[in-house]
Amino acid sequence: MVMRPRRSVLYLPGDNERALEKARSLPADAIIIDLEDSVAPANKEKARNQATDAIHEAGFGSREVVLRVNPIETPWGMADLHAAIAAVPDAILVPKVSTPGDITGTAKVVKAAEADPRIRLWAMIETPMGIINAREIAACGPDPDNRLACFVLGTNDLLKESRALASSNRFAVVPWLAMTLVAARAYGLDVIDGVYNDFKDDLGFRAECEHGRTLGMDGKTLIHPSQVIPCNEVFSPTGDEIAWARKIIKSFEEPENARKGVITVEGRMVERLHLVMAKRVAAIAEAINARSKVEEPWF
C-alpha cells in the first residue's frame, strides 16, 4: 500500500517569487502554486511563467507540487493548462469544478497533449453545483484517463455563493463537507479541507483542524507557513493509533486468524474492515517517517 500524506497543503501565489523559494524548505506535504484567485489579472502571465519556472527548477523534495490554473473559459485558462502540462507538476488543480464535464474536458486536453502520465488532476469543489454533483464528479475517478486523485474544498467560495454565515463550529458547511467527503470516498479519492482565514488565531485554527480530521479529511489547505506544523500534528496518526494498528495487523497475520473475518484483540472485537483501516494508518505513518528523514520516529 503506497500512501502520500496530504496533511498540510499550502497555497502560494504564483507571482510571489520569495514565497515559492521559501516553500522549498517548509515541512508542508504539498504546495499549491496558484495562478487563479490570488493573482491579479495584470500579473497572470508573470505568475504563469514564474510558477512553471519554479516547477522546472525543482528543489521541492518530497513535497507534492500542484499548480492551480485559471478556468479554461477565462482568457488565461487554456494557456495555463498547456503551460502546466509542459512543466509536469505532480497535479493540476482544476478550479470551480461543478460538473463531471469540468474534469473530463480537462482530461481530454491533457491526453491530447500527451502529458506525462504522472500528472494527476485535483478538483476544486467550491460551488453549490459542485456540491450537488459531487457524486458524479467523484465517479470520474476510477477511469484512469481522467487522472482524478483528490478533491479540495473551497469553503470561502461556498459561503459566498450560498450566502451562509461563517461560524466557529462551521454549522452551515458541515453538510456540504460531509456530502463531498462521502462521495469522494465511494470512488477512492482523497479530500482536503478548506482554509482557515485568521492565521494569527492558533487555537481556532487547531480546533478547525481537529474538526476536519473528525469528519474524515485527509488534510487541510493553508494560507500561511505558520499553519503547517500544527496542521501536520493534528492530521498525523498518534502513537497510540499506530500501535493499535500494528497490533491489529499482527493479529490477523497469525496463522490461526488468516481466514477469520472477526477476531479478538486485547478484548475488543476486530473485523476485516478494521484491518484495512489499520493498514492505512501504518502506511501513512511509514510515509511520514520516510519523509522526515530523521533517525527517531516522529510519533
Side-chain angles (χ1 to χ4, degrees), residues 134-135 138-139 150-151 178-191:
R135 177 182 175 183
C150 188
F151 278 178
M179 286 171 60
T180 305
L181 194 142
V182 171
R185 294 292 188 252
Y187 295 97
L189 305 178
D190 278 359
V191 187

Side-chain angles (χ1 to χ4, degrees), residues 6 12 15 18 26 36 54 95 117 149 152 164-165 189 192 215 223 231 234 259-260 281 291:
R6 289 168 175 155
L12 301 167
D15 57 352
R18 182 179 177 185
L26 294 173
E36 195 207 12
V152 179
L165 298 178
L189 305 178
I192 310 301
L215 286 172
I223 60 170
C231 187
V234 172
R259 295 173 180 253
K260 292 182 179 179
V281 169
R291 178 167 293 182

Side-chain angles (χ1 to χ4, degrees), residues 29-266:
D29 287 337
I31 60 169
I32 296 174
I33 304 176
D34 186 30
L35 304 181
E36 195 207 12
D37 285 347
S38 66
V39 179
N43 284 350
K44 294 289 188 184
E45 187 171 347
K46 173 188 175 184
R48 182 193 306 137
N49 294 334
Q50 198 160 272
T52 53
D53 285 349
I55 295 169
H56 280 301
E57 290 169 10
F60 293 100
S62 60
R63 298 164 192 81
E64 206 165 3
V65 179
V66 183
L67 186 61
R68 179 163 75 168
V69 297
N70 285 280
I72 289 178
E73 62 271 16
T74 67
W76 316 281
M78 192 58 73
D80 284 352
L81 184 54
H82 282 290
I85 291 167
V88 193
D90 293 295
I92 298 169
L93 178 55
V94 184
K96 296 176 176 59
V97 173
S98 297
T99 69
D102 294 325
I103 291 298
T104 58
T106 303
K108 287 177 182 177
V109 175
V110 173
K111 183 177 182 179
E114 299 182 349
D116 191 300
R118 294 171 296 178
I119 299 175
R120 303 291 94 196
L121 294 184
W122 289 17
M124 196 87 200
I125 307 297
E126 53 186 335
T127 67
M129 193 61 72
I131 298 296
I132 291 171
N133 292 327
R135 177 182 175 183
E136 289 74 19
I137 297 166
C140 296
D143 185 344
D145 283 345
N146 291 327
R147 300 176 180 238
L148 184 60
C150 188
F151 278 178
V152 179
L153 274 301
T155 45
N156 283 338
D157 281 275
L158 284 168
L159 286 168
K160 180 191 75 173
E161 296 295 330
S162 67
R163 303 175 197 164
L165 298 178
S167 63
S168 58
N169 63 5
R170 300 208 288 181
F171 175 83
V173 303
V174 165
W176 312 330
L177 300 178
M179 286 171 60
T180 305
L181 194 142
V182 171
R185 294 292 188 252
Y187 295 97
L189 305 178
D190 278 359
V191 187
I192 310 301
D193 202 355
V195 300
Y196 188 78
N197 297 311
D198 187 355
F199 62 85
K200 294 184 178 180
D201 179 9
D202 297 337
L203 292 178
F205 173 70
R206 185 175 286 271
E208 191 163 290
C209 287
E210 296 280 4
H211 183 258
R213 191 181 182 208
T214 298
L215 286 172
M217 299 292 174
D218 294 289
K220 191 167 184 64
T221 44
L222 312 175
I223 60 170
H224 195 273
S226 65
Q227 297 176 321
V228 172
I229 290 177
C231 187
N232 283 346
E233 290 173 355
V234 172
F235 283 97
S236 295
T238 66
D240 287 343
E241 289 170 337
I242 297 165
W244 177 242
R246 288 173 176 165
K247 286 178 182 177
I248 292 174
I249 295 168
K250 184 177 180 181
S251 296
F252 270 108
E253 288 174 347
E254 298 292 337
E256 64 270 21
N257 295 330
R259 295 173 180 253
K260 292 182 179 179
V262 181
I263 63 174
T264 300
V265 180
E266 295 187 353

